[in-house]
Amino acid sequence: MNLQYFCGLFDGEGCIVIVKHKPIKNENISYTLAMQVAMTNEKVVALVQKEFGGNYNAVNWYTRPNTRTAYLWRLHSRNAADLLVRMDEFLIVKQAEARVAVTFQDHMDEVRNKLRRLPPEEKAAIFEYREQVYRTLQAMKRVSGALDGMDANSVETQNGQYRTKLSAV
């Protein structure tokens, strides 16, 4: 599997996320960059893992009969950012998201060992920045322009009805 093929696959089947972890005891909220690909073809997902590292596992999101098992590959933090940098020139759909994600990870690496020694107001500014980037990346995934005024990625319309697929003519 070469990088250009993977970029096309990732543009269609991939996702860039910042995972927000709830605080444990008196700790602050933490954030982690992750990139992932989910699909039902285990052979392709295994090739992605072999070529680019990370890990994959089987997931069963649906309990309906005749639903195939999906396979989820994930790469985290600096490893994800480094791969996104390599992919930049080949990405089309997710290029802007990838650039935001790399900037976020650069910030995380920059303040990693300094955070505990910073005054409270500087810590607050750092966590505010992280939350802002988290929300920005979420907003970039919302695609407007659906005919019913809903986000194109949502399943349910405003009146509670579900969309049906348009059949090819």
Side-chain angles (χ1 to χ4, degrees):
M1 176 174 294
N2 66 32
L3 184 62
Q4 290 138 336
Y5 176 87
F6 176 67
C7 290
L9 177 73
F10 188 77
D11 260 346
E13 301 293 333
C15 182
I16 301 169
V17 295
I18 296 175
V19 181
K20 186 175 178 178
H21 305 280
K22 301 291 183 195
I24 301 171
K25 297 183 182 179
N26 293 330
E27 295 290 319
N28 293 312
I29 293 172
S30 64
Y31 300 84
T32 304
L33 172 64
M35 61 187 293
Q36 61 190 36
V37 171
M39 57 192 312
T40 58
N41 189 317
E42 184 179 10
K43 182 179 177 183
V44 174
V45 176
L47 284 171
V48 169
Q49 188 271 332
K50 182 179 178 184
E51 183 67 29
F52 300 107
N55 54 51
Y56 83 94
N57 59 309
V59 291
N60 289 309
W61 287 309
Y62 304 105
T63 56
R64 292 179 291 177
N66 302 323
T67 302
R68 296 189 301 178
T69 299
Y71 298 91
L72 177 69
W73 168 83
R74 245 186 186 187
L75 192 62
H76 295 91
S77 304
R78 175 47 51 196
N79 292 330
D82 289 345
L83 181 54
L84 289 170
V85 167
R86 288 177 47 205
M87 295 167 63
D88 185 71
E89 69 179 300
F90 304 114
L91 290 174
I92 298 169
V93 177
K94 293 184 173 55
Q95 187 179 58
E97 288 180 39
R99 290 177 178 175
V100 168
V102 169
T103 302
F104 174 80
Q105 187 60 48
D106 290 345
H107 157 80
M108 294 293 286
D109 293 343
E110 181 183 325
V111 298
R112 180 176 316 281
N113 296 321
K114 302 174 187 175
L115 199 57
R116 291 188 176 153
R117 294 174 280 178
L118 292 175
E121 60 275 356
E122 287 185 41
K123 281 184 185 180
I126 287 171
F127 285 106
E128 184 178 319
Y129 169 77
R130 290 177 182 179
E131 182 66 22
Q132 179 184 8
V133 176
Y134 169 79
R135 290 180 188 274
T136 298
L137 196 57
Q138 281 185 325
M140 292 173 85
K141 295 176 185 312
R142 293 190 183 97
V143 180
S144 61
L147 297 176
D148 58 6
M150 298 293 292
D151 287 341
N153 294 334
S154 68
V155 177
E156 196 172 330
T157 62
Q158 291 173 338
N159 62 3
Q161 299 296 314
Y162 287 90
R163 286 197 181 99
T164 57
K165 287 185 176 181
L166 298 175
S167 59
V169 178

PDB file of all heavy atoms in Angstrom, residues 58-88:
ATOM      1  N   ALA A  58     -11.727  -5.384  15.594  1.00  0.00           N
ATOM      2  CA  ALA A  58     -13.089  -5.560  15.082  1.00  0.00           C
ATOM      3  C   ALA A  58     -14.057  -4.816  15.990  1.00  0.00           C
ATOM      4  O   ALA A  58     -13.890  -4.803  17.206  1.00  0.00           O
ATOM      5  CB  ALA A  58     -13.448  -7.036  15.030  1.00  0.00           C
ATOM      6  N   VAL A  59     -15.035  -4.186  15.387  1.00  0.00           N
ATOM      7  CA  VAL A  59     -16.072  -3.488  16.153  1.00  0.00           C
ATOM      8  C   VAL A  59     -17.436  -3.879  15.593  1.00  0.00           C
ATOM      9  O   VAL A  59     -17.584  -4.096  14.398  1.00  0.00           O
ATOM     10  CB  VAL A  59     -15.903  -1.950  16.111  1.00  0.00           C
ATOM     11  CG1 VAL A  59     -14.676  -1.518  16.876  1.00  0.00           C
ATOM     12  CG2 VAL A  59     -15.836  -1.433  14.692  1.00  0.00           C
ATOM     13  N   ASN A  60     -18.389  -4.001  16.467  1.00  0.00           N
ATOM     14  CA  ASN A  60     -19.759  -4.301  16.061  1.00  0.00           C
ATOM     15  C   ASN A  60     -20.641  -3.155  16.524  1.00  0.00           C
ATOM     16  O   ASN A  60     -21.097  -3.134  17.662  1.00  0.00           O
ATOM     17  CB  ASN A  60     -20.229  -5.627  16.665  1.00  0.00           C
ATOM     18  CG  ASN A  60     -19.526  -6.793  16.026  1.00  0.00           C
ATOM     19  OD1 ASN A  60     -19.489  -6.897  14.806  1.00  0.00           O
ATOM     20  ND2 ASN A  60     -18.955  -7.657  16.839  1.00  0.00           N
ATOM     21  N   TRP A  61     -20.842  -2.177  15.643  1.00  0.00           N
ATOM     22  CA  TRP A  61     -21.623  -1.003  15.991  1.00  0.00           C
ATOM     23  C   TRP A  61     -23.117  -1.282  15.960  1.00  0.00           C
ATOM     24  O   TRP A  61     -23.887  -0.617  16.602  1.00  0.00           O
ATOM     25  CB  TRP A  61     -21.301   0.149  15.059  1.00  0.00           C
ATOM     26  CG  TRP A  61     -19.976   0.768  15.310  1.00  0.00           C
ATOM     27  CD1 TRP A  61     -19.494   1.207  16.505  1.00  0.00           C
ATOM     28  CD2 TRP A  61     -18.955   1.025  14.356  1.00  0.00           C
ATOM     29  NE1 TRP A  61     -18.232   1.725  16.357  1.00  0.00           N
ATOM     30  CE2 TRP A  61     -17.881   1.628  15.042  1.00  0.00           C
ATOM     31  CE3 TRP A  61     -18.837   0.813  12.999  1.00  0.00           C
ATOM     32  CZ2 TRP A  61     -16.717   2.021  14.413  1.00  0.00           C
ATOM     33  CZ3 TRP A  61     -17.670   1.211  12.371  1.00  0.00           C
ATOM     34  CH2 TRP A  61     -16.628   1.810  13.077  1.00  0.00           C
ATOM     35  N   TYR A  62     -23.519  -2.255  15.167  1.00  0.00           N
ATOM     36  CA  TYR A  62     -24.931  -2.513  14.983  1.00  0.00           C
ATOM     37  C   TYR A  62     -25.255  -3.928  15.434  1.00  0.00           C
ATOM     38  O   TYR A  62     -24.465  -4.842  15.247  1.00  0.00           O
ATOM     39  CB  TYR A  62     -25.332  -2.342  13.512  1.00  0.00           C
ATOM     40  CG  TYR A  62     -24.974  -0.993  12.983  1.00  0.00           C
ATOM     41  CD1 TYR A  62     -23.899  -0.822  12.128  1.00  0.00           C
ATOM     42  CD2 TYR A  62     -25.696   0.137  13.358  1.00  0.00           C
ATOM     43  CE1 TYR A  62     -23.558   0.431  11.642  1.00  0.00           C
ATOM     44  CE2 TYR A  62     -25.361   1.384  12.883  1.00  0.00           C
ATOM     45  CZ  TYR A  62     -24.292   1.529  12.025  1.00  0.00           C
ATOM     46  OH  TYR A  62     -23.964   2.755  11.564  1.00  0.00           O
ATOM     47  N   THR A  63     -26.430  -4.108  15.968  1.00  0.00           N
ATOM     48  CA  THR A  63     -26.846  -5.436  16.415  1.00  0.00           C
ATOM     49  C   THR A  63     -27.909  -6.039  15.497  1.00  0.00           C
ATOM     50  O   THR A  63     -28.477  -7.056  15.826  1.00  0.00           O
ATOM     51  CB  THR A  63     -27.395  -5.367  17.858  1.00  0.00           C
ATOM     52  OG1 THR A  63     -28.462  -4.413  17.890  1.00  0.00           O
ATOM     53  CG2 THR A  63     -26.300  -4.981  18.829  1.00  0.00           C
ATOM     54  N   ARG A  64     -28.170  -5.384  14.380  1.00  0.00           N
ATOM     55  CA  ARG A  64     -29.153  -5.904  13.431  1.00  0.00           C
ATOM     56  C   ARG A  64     -28.620  -7.167  12.760  1.00  0.00           C
ATOM     57  O   ARG A  64     -27.411  -7.305  12.559  1.00  0.00           O
ATOM     58  CB  ARG A  64     -29.468  -4.863  12.370  1.00  0.00           C
ATOM     59  CG  ARG A  64     -30.203  -3.661  12.926  1.00  0.00           C
ATOM     60  CD  ARG A  64     -30.461  -2.682  11.835  1.00  0.00           C
ATOM     61  NE  ARG A  64     -29.155  -2.111  11.451  1.00  0.00           N
ATOM     62  CZ  ARG A  64     -28.975  -1.247  10.487  1.00  0.00           C
ATOM     63  NH1 ARG A  64     -29.992  -0.850   9.773  1.00  0.00           N
ATOM     64  NH2 ARG A  64     -27.793  -0.771  10.210  1.00  0.00           N
ATOM     65  N   PRO A  65     -29.514  -8.068  12.379  1.00  0.00           N
ATOM     66  CA  PRO A  65     -29.060  -9.269  11.665  1.00  0.00           C
ATOM     67  C   PRO A  65     -28.457  -8.896  10.304  1.00  0.00           C
ATOM     68  O   PRO A  65     -28.802  -7.878   9.723  1.00  0.00           O
ATOM     69  CB  PRO A  65     -30.340 -10.080  11.479  1.00  0.00           C
ATOM     70  CG  PRO A  65     -31.460  -9.290  12.016  1.00  0.00           C
ATOM     71  CD  PRO A  65     -30.936  -8.032  12.608  1.00  0.00           C
ATOM     72  N   ASN A  66     -27.565  -9.710   9.833  1.00  0.00           N
ATOM     73  CA  ASN A  66     -26.913  -9.536   8.532  1.00  0.00           C
ATOM     74  C   ASN A  66     -26.017  -8.305   8.457  1.00  0.00           C
ATOM     75  O   ASN A  66     -25.719  -7.828   7.365  1.00  0.00           O
ATOM     76  CB  ASN A  66     -27.945  -9.499   7.389  1.00  0.00           C
ATOM     77  CG  ASN A  66     -28.772 -10.754   7.345  1.00  0.00           C
ATOM     78  OD1 ASN A  66     -28.266 -11.843   7.603  1.00  0.00           O
ATOM     79  ND2 ASN A  66     -30.050 -10.609   7.048  1.00  0.00           N
ATOM     80  N   THR A  67     -25.620  -7.763   9.580  1.00  0.00           N
ATOM     81  CA  THR A  67     -24.696  -6.633   9.583  1.00  0.00           C
ATOM     82  C   THR A  67     -23.272  -7.173   9.666  1.00  0.00           C
ATOM     83  O   THR A  67     -22.964  -7.990  10.521  1.00  0.00           O
ATOM     84  CB  THR A  67     -24.970  -5.697  10.775  1.00  0.00           C
ATOM     85  OG1 THR A  67     -26.313  -5.255  10.702  1.00  0.00           O
ATOM     86  CG2 THR A  67     -24.050  -4.502  10.754  1.00  0.00           C
ATOM     87  N   ARG A  68     -22.422  -6.726   8.759  1.00  0.00           N
ATOM     88  CA  ARG A  68     -21.046  -7.209   8.735  1.00  0.00           C
ATOM     89  C   ARG A  68     -20.219  -6.532   9.819  1.00  0.00           C
ATOM     90  O   ARG A  68     -20.479  -5.394  10.204  1.00  0.00           O
ATOM     91  CB  ARG A  68     -20.418  -6.952   7.373  1.00  0.00           C
ATOM     92  CG  ARG A  68     -21.111  -7.730   6.282  1.00  0.00           C
ATOM     93  CD  ARG A  68     -20.399  -7.675   4.980  1.00  0.00           C
ATOM     94  NE  ARG A  68     -20.246  -6.311   4.495  1.00  0.00           N
ATOM     95  CZ  ARG A  68     -19.622  -5.986   3.375  1.00  0.00           C
ATOM     96  NH1 ARG A  68     -19.084  -6.913   2.633  1.00  0.00           N
ATOM     97  NH2 ARG A  68     -19.525  -4.737   2.999  1.00  0.00           N
ATOM     98  N   THR A  69     -19.204  -7.213  10.273  1.00  0.00           N
ATOM     99  CA  THR A  69     -18.276  -6.660  11.251  1.00  0.00           C
ATOM    100  C   THR A  69     -17.435  -5.591  10.574  1.00  0.00           C
ATOM    101  O   THR A  69     -16.983  -5.759   9.450  1.00  0.00           O
ATOM    102  CB  THR A  69     -17.360  -7.778  11.801  1.00  0.00           C
ATOM    103  OG1 THR A  69     -18.184  -8.750  12.436  1.00  0.00           O
ATOM    104  CG2 THR A  69     -16.356  -7.228  12.786  1.00  0.00           C
ATOM    105  N   ALA A  70     -17.212  -4.501  11.271  1.00  0.00           N
ATOM    106  CA  ALA A  70     -16.332  -3.438  10.775  1.00  0.00           C
ATOM    107  C   ALA A  70     -14.990  -3.563  11.487  1.00  0.00           C
ATOM    108  O   ALA A  70     -14.890  -4.127  12.583  1.00  0.00           O
ATOM    109  CB  ALA A  70     -16.951  -2.077  11.039  1.00  0.00           C
ATOM    110  N   TYR A  71     -13.959  -3.016  10.872  1.00  0.00           N
ATOM    111  CA  TYR A  71     -12.616  -3.037  11.439  1.00  0.00           C
ATOM    112  C   TYR A  71     -12.146  -1.596  11.542  1.00  0.00           C
ATOM    113  O   TYR A  71     -12.253  -0.826  10.589  1.00  0.00           O
ATOM    114  CB  TYR A  71     -11.679  -3.882  10.579  1.00  0.00           C
ATOM    115  CG  TYR A  71     -12.157  -5.313  10.540  1.00  0.00           C
ATOM    116  CD1 TYR A  71     -13.027  -5.738   9.548  1.00  0.00           C
ATOM    117  CD2 TYR A  71     -11.794  -6.201  11.541  1.00  0.00           C
ATOM    118  CE1 TYR A  71     -13.506  -7.024   9.529  1.00  0.00           C
ATOM    119  CE2 TYR A  71     -12.275  -7.506  11.530  1.00  0.00           C
ATOM    120  CZ  TYR A  71     -13.125  -7.905  10.529  1.00  0.00           C
ATOM    121  OH  TYR A  71     -13.609  -9.181  10.534  1.00  0.00           O
ATOM    122  N   LEU A  72     -11.646  -1.244  12.705  1.00  0.00           N
ATOM    123  CA  LEU A  72     -11.255   0.130  13.001  1.00  0.00           C
ATOM    124  C   LEU A  72      -9.762   0.191  13.242  1.00  0.00           C
ATOM    125  O   LEU A  72      -9.243  -0.478  14.135  1.00  0.00           O
ATOM    126  CB  LEU A  72     -12.008   0.626  14.242  1.00  0.00           C
ATOM    127  CG  LEU A  72     -11.657   2.024  14.742  1.00  0.00           C
ATOM    128  CD1 LEU A  72     -12.141   3.075  13.748  1.00  0.00           C
ATOM    129  CD2 LEU A  72     -12.289   2.261  16.105  1.00  0.00           C
ATOM    130  N   TRP A  73      -9.060   0.991  12.433  1.00  0.00           N
ATOM    131  CA  TRP A  73      -7.627   1.243  12.597  1.00  0.00           C
ATOM    132  C   TRP A  73      -7.475   2.617  13.214  1.00  0.00           C
ATOM    133  O   TRP A  73      -8.198   3.549  12.844  1.00  0.00           O
ATOM    134  CB  TRP A  73      -6.931   1.203  11.233  1.00  0.00           C
ATOM    135  CG  TRP A  73      -5.532   1.727  11.258  1.00  0.00           C
ATOM    136  CD1 TRP A  73      -4.403   1.057  11.622  1.00  0.00           C
ATOM    137  CD2 TRP A  73      -5.107   3.049  10.898  1.00  0.00           C
ATOM    138  NE1 TRP A  73      -3.304   1.878  11.521  1.00  0.00           N
ATOM    139  CE2 TRP A  73      -3.713   3.109  11.077  1.00  0.00           C
ATOM    140  CE3 TRP A  73      -5.771   4.189  10.466  1.00  0.00           C
ATOM    141  CZ2 TRP A  73      -2.976   4.264  10.824  1.00  0.00           C
ATOM    142  CZ3 TRP A  73      -5.043   5.343  10.214  1.00  0.00           C
ATOM    143  CH2 TRP A  73      -3.657   5.373  10.387  1.00  0.00           C
ATOM    144  N   ARG A  74      -6.555   2.745  14.163  1.00  0.00           N
ATOM    145  CA  ARG A  74      -6.320   4.033  14.819  1.00  0.00           C
ATOM    146  C   ARG A  74      -4.840   4.295  15.027  1.00  0.00           C
ATOM    147  O   ARG A  74      -4.070   3.389  15.301  1.00  0.00           O
ATOM    148  CB  ARG A  74      -7.001   4.042  16.183  1.00  0.00           C
ATOM    149  CG  ARG A  74      -8.099   5.037  16.248  1.00  0.00           C
ATOM    150  CD  ARG A  74      -8.684   5.156  17.612  1.00  0.00           C
ATOM    151  NE  ARG A  74      -9.823   6.055  17.454  1.00  0.00           N
ATOM    152  CZ  ARG A  74     -10.528   6.517  18.428  1.00  0.00           C
ATOM    153  NH1 ARG A  74     -10.256   6.199  19.659  1.00  0.00           N
ATOM    154  NH2 ARG A  74     -11.534   7.332  18.192  1.00  0.00           N
ATOM    155  N   LEU A  75      -4.490   5.568  14.922  1.00  0.00           N
ATOM    156  CA  LEU A  75      -3.133   6.049  15.200  1.00  0.00           C
ATOM    157  C   LEU A  75      -3.287   7.307  16.037  1.00  0.00           C
ATOM    158  O   LEU A  75      -4.164   8.132  15.757  1.00  0.00           O
ATOM    159  CB  LEU A  75      -2.416   6.345  13.876  1.00  0.00           C
ATOM    160  CG  LEU A  75      -0.919   6.576  13.913  1.00  0.00           C
ATOM    161  CD1 LEU A  75      -0.180   5.334  14.409  1.00  0.00           C
ATOM    162  CD2 LEU A  75      -0.411   6.940  12.520  1.00  0.00           C
ATOM    163  N   HIS A  76      -2.455   7.472  17.067  1.00  0.00           N
ATOM    164  CA  HIS A  76      -2.638   8.561  18.031  1.00  0.00           C
ATOM    165  C   HIS A  76      -1.465   9.540  18.074  1.00  0.00           C
ATOM    166  O   HIS A  76      -0.350   9.208  17.708  1.00  0.00           O
ATOM    167  CB  HIS A  76      -2.801   7.983  19.446  1.00  0.00           C
ATOM    168  CG  HIS A  76      -4.032   7.174  19.621  1.00  0.00           C
ATOM    169  ND1 HIS A  76      -4.057   5.824  19.412  1.00  0.00           N
ATOM    170  CD2 HIS A  76      -5.285   7.521  19.959  1.00  0.00           C
ATOM    171  CE1 HIS A  76      -5.262   5.365  19.634  1.00  0.00           C
ATOM    172  NE2 HIS A  76      -6.038   6.376  19.963  1.00  0.00           N
ATOM    173  N   SER A  77      -1.757  10.714  18.591  1.00  0.00           N
ATOM    174  CA  SER A  77      -0.809  11.744  19.016  1.00  0.00           C
ATOM    175  C   SER A  77       0.243  12.073  17.964  1.00  0.00           C
ATOM    176  O   SER A  77      -0.093  12.357  16.822  1.00  0.00           O
ATOM    177  CB  SER A  77      -0.168  11.350  20.347  1.00  0.00           C
ATOM    178  OG  SER A  77      -1.160  11.128  21.308  1.00  0.00           O
ATOM    179  N   ARG A  78       1.519  12.068  18.346  1.00  0.00           N
ATOM    180  CA  ARG A  78       2.605  12.488  17.455  1.00  0.00           C
ATOM    181  C   ARG A  78       2.692  11.582  16.233  1.00  0.00           C
ATOM    182  O   ARG A  78       2.955  12.054  15.129  1.00  0.00           O
ATOM    183  CB  ARG A  78       3.931  12.511  18.230  1.00  0.00           C
ATOM    184  CG  ARG A  78       5.180  12.813  17.418  1.00  0.00           C
ATOM    185  CD  ARG A  78       5.142  13.981  16.456  1.00  0.00           C
ATOM    186  NE  ARG A  78       4.675  15.234  16.985  1.00  0.00           N
ATOM    187  CZ  ARG A  78       4.288  16.262  16.215  1.00  0.00           C
ATOM    188  NH1 ARG A  78       4.328  16.184  14.899  1.00  0.00           N
ATOM    189  NH2 ARG A  78       3.859  17.373  16.746  1.00  0.00           N
ATOM    190  N   ASN A  79       2.463  10.289  16.391  1.00  0.00           N
ATOM    191  CA  ASN A  79       2.499   9.376  15.236  1.00  0.00           C
ATOM    192  C   ASN A  79       1.441   9.769  14.209  1.00  0.00           C
ATOM    193  O   ASN A  79       1.698   9.758  13.003  1.00  0.00           O
ATOM    194  CB  ASN A  79       2.291   7.929  15.681  1.00  0.00           C
ATOM    195  CG  ASN A  79       3.446   7.414  16.499  1.00  0.00           C
ATOM    196  OD1 ASN A  79       4.579   7.833  16.321  1.00  0.00           O
ATOM    197  ND2 ASN A  79       3.154   6.497  17.403  1.00  0.00           N
ATOM    198  N   ALA A  80       0.255  10.126  14.675  1.00  0.00           N
ATOM    199  CA  ALA A  80      -0.816  10.567  13.771  1.00  0.00           C
ATOM    200  C   ALA A  80      -0.432  11.875  13.090  1.00  0.00           C
ATOM    201  O   ALA A  80      -0.608  12.026  11.878  1.00  0.00           O
ATOM    202  CB  ALA A  80      -2.127  10.730  14.531  1.00  0.00           C
ATOM    203  N   ALA A  81       0.091  12.814  13.847  1.00  0.00           N
ATOM    204  CA  ALA A  81       0.471  14.115  13.272  1.00  0.00           C
ATOM    205  C   ALA A  81       1.564  13.948  12.221  1.00  0.00           C
ATOM    206  O   ALA A  81       1.513  14.579  11.158  1.00  0.00           O
ATOM    207  CB  ALA A  81       0.920  15.066  14.374  1.00  0.00           C
ATOM    208  N   ASP A  82       2.551  13.105  12.507  1.00  0.00           N
ATOM    209  CA  ASP A  82       3.632  12.884  11.533  1.00  0.00           C
ATOM    210  C   ASP A  82       3.095  12.281  10.235  1.00  0.00           C
ATOM    211  O   ASP A  82       3.501  12.681   9.141  1.00  0.00           O
ATOM    212  CB  ASP A  82       4.711  11.977  12.132  1.00  0.00           C
ATOM    213  CG  ASP A  82       5.522  12.667  13.223  1.00  0.00           C
ATOM    214  OD1 ASP A  82       5.462  13.918  13.334  1.00  0.00           O
ATOM    215  OD2 ASP A  82       6.200  11.944  13.977  1.00  0.00           O
ATOM    216  N   LEU A  83       2.177  11.345  10.346  1.00  0.00           N
ATOM    217  CA  LEU A  83       1.585  10.757   9.140  1.00  0.00           C
ATOM    218  C   LEU A  83       0.740  11.785   8.395  1.00  0.00           C
ATOM    219  O   LEU A  83       0.788  11.862   7.162  1.00  0.00           O
ATOM    220  CB  LEU A  83       0.757   9.518   9.496  1.00  0.00           C
ATOM    221  CG  LEU A  83       0.101   8.781   8.322  1.00  0.00           C
ATOM    222  CD1 LEU A  83       1.129   8.400   7.252  1.00  0.00           C
ATOM    223  CD2 LEU A  83      -0.636   7.551   8.825  1.00  0.00           C
ATOM    224  N   LEU A  84      -0.005  12.604   9.119  1.00  0.00           N
ATOM    225  CA  LEU A  84      -0.813  13.640   8.469  1.00  0.00           C
ATOM    226  C   LEU A  84       0.065  14.646   7.724  1.00  0.00           C
ATOM    227  O   LEU A  84      -0.313  15.123   6.652  1.00  0.00           O
ATOM    228  CB  LEU A  84      -1.694  14.351   9.492  1.00  0.00           C
ATOM    229  CG  LEU A  84      -2.853  13.519  10.038  1.00  0.00           C
ATOM    230  CD1 LEU A  84      -3.507  14.222  11.229  1.00  0.00           C
ATOM    231  CD2 LEU A  84      -3.875  13.227   8.952  1.00  0.00           C
ATOM    232  N   VAL A  85       1.239  14.949   8.241  1.00  0.00           N
ATOM    233  CA  VAL A  85       2.176  15.840   7.536  1.00  0.00           C
ATOM    234  C   VAL A  85       2.611  15.192   6.225  1.00  0.00           C
ATOM    235  O   VAL A  85       2.648  15.853   5.175  1.00  0.00           O
ATOM    236  CB  VAL A  85       3.393  16.172   8.430  1.00  0.00           C
ATOM    237  CG1 VAL A  85       4.508  16.822   7.627  1.00  0.00           C
ATOM    238  CG2 VAL A  85       2.976  17.072   9.583  1.00  0.00           C
ATOM    239  N   ARG A  86       2.931  13.907   6.266  1.00  0.00           N
ATOM    240  CA  ARG A  86       3.337  13.198   5.048  1.00  0.00           C
ATOM    241  C   ARG A  86       2.205  13.155   4.022  1.00  0.00           C
ATOM    242  O   ARG A  86       2.443  13.138   2.812  1.00  0.00           O
ATOM    243  CB  ARG A  86       3.760  11.768   5.383  1.00  0.00           C
ATOM    244  CG  ARG A  86       5.085  11.669   6.096  1.00  0.00           C
ATOM    245  CD  ARG A  86       5.453  10.244   6.488  1.00  0.00           C
ATOM    246  NE  ARG A  86       5.280   9.281   5.421  1.00  0.00           N
ATOM    247  CZ  ARG A  86       5.061   7.980   5.628  1.00  0.00           C
ATOM    248  NH1 ARG A  86       4.980   7.500   6.849  1.00  0.00           N
ATOM    249  NH2 ARG A  86       4.926   7.164   4.606  1.00  0.00           N
ATOM    250  N   MET A  87       0.973  13.115   4.491  1.00  0.00           N
ATOM    251  CA  MET A  87      -0.192  12.988   3.621  1.00  0.00           C
ATOM    252  C   MET A  87      -0.662  14.323   3.038  1.00  0.00           C
ATOM    253  O   MET A  87      -1.455  14.332   2.094  1.00  0.00           O
ATOM    254  CB  MET A  87      -1.354  12.371   4.423  1.00  0.00           C
ATOM    255  CG  MET A  87      -1.109  10.956   4.882  1.00  0.00           C
ATOM    256  SD  MET A  87      -2.320  10.404   6.112  1.00  0.00           S
ATOM    257  CE  MET A  87      -3.836  10.469   5.171  1.00  0.00           C
ATOM    258  N   ASP A  88      -0.211  15.427   3.566  1.00  0.00           N
ATOM    259  CA  ASP A  88      -0.776  16.750   3.271  1.00  0.00           C
ATOM    260  C   ASP A  88      -0.974  17.028   1.780  1.00  0.00           C
ATOM    261  O   ASP A  88      -2.047  17.442   1.376  1.00  0.00           O
ATOM    262  CB  ASP A  88       0.084  17.850   3.895  1.00  0.00           C
ATOM    263  CG  ASP A  88      -0.535  19.209   3.707  1.00  0.00           C
ATOM    264  OD1 ASP A  88      -1.577  19.475   4.360  1.00  0.00           O
ATOM    265  OD2 ASP A  88      -0.009  20.007   2.905  1.00  0.00           O
TER     266      ASP A  88
END
